[in-house]
Structure formats: structure tokens, C-alpha cells
Amino acid sequence: MKSKQEIIDGLVDEQAQLNVKFLKLAIDMNTIEFEDLESQQKVLLNAQKSTLETYSMILVARLNDLTRED
């Protein structure tokens, strides 16, 4: 069984990786000709962005729960 610190470290690492993915997606969405994409592609990119944001909030909540002083 993992220790509490190992779980926290894993979540912090996962959050860092998620931040990189989110930033790459945001950069891609800003650098490509977003207006020229077909509407289906726009929907998929926005859904991916929304999913990453939601997952980020879940990770932050889990980290807050684990690091909260009882």
C-alpha cells in the first residue's frame, strides 16, 4: 500500500503532466487557424479542453483533501 506522501507525490506529478497537456492544447488552439477548422473539430478540441480543466479540478481537490490538517 502506498504511503500518503507517495499518493500526494503521484497526484502532484499527474497535475504537472496535465498542466503541460492543457498548455499545449491551448497553444495549439491559439496557433492554428481555429476559425478554419470544421465545426466538428472545434467541438472536439473544446471538449478536450473542458475535460482537462475538470480533471485538473478533481486532482486539486484530492490534493487538498490529502494535505488538509485534521
Side-chain angles (χ1 to χ4, degrees):
M1 187 170 168
K2 289 184 179 181
S3 71
K4 185 176 179 179
Q5 188 59 49
E6 288 173 321
I7 293 170
I8 290 170
D9 291 346
L11 289 173
V12 169
D13 184 53
E14 194 170 348
Q15 181 67 44
Q17 291 176 26
L18 182 63
N19 288 344
V20 169
K21 288 178 185 178
F22 183 81
L23 289 173
K24 285 181 179 180
L25 177 60
I27 289 168
D28 286 347
M29 289 175 75
N30 286 328
T31 57
I32 58 177
E33 296 299 325
F34 197 69
E35 297 79 27
D36 293 342
L37 290 176
E38 293 183 30
S39 60
Q40 183 180 13
Q41 290 174 307
K42 289 180 187 179
V43 170
L44 291 174
L45 284 173
N46 282 318
Q48 184 178 7
K49 183 179 174 190
S50 178
T51 301
L52 290 173
E53 289 171 333
T54 301
Y55 188 51
S56 177
M57 289 187 287
I58 292 168
L59 287 175
V60 168
R62 289 178 64 197
L63 280 167
N64 286 339
D65 188 50
L66 286 170
T67 57
R68 180 181 53 211
E69 295 292 326
D70 294 321

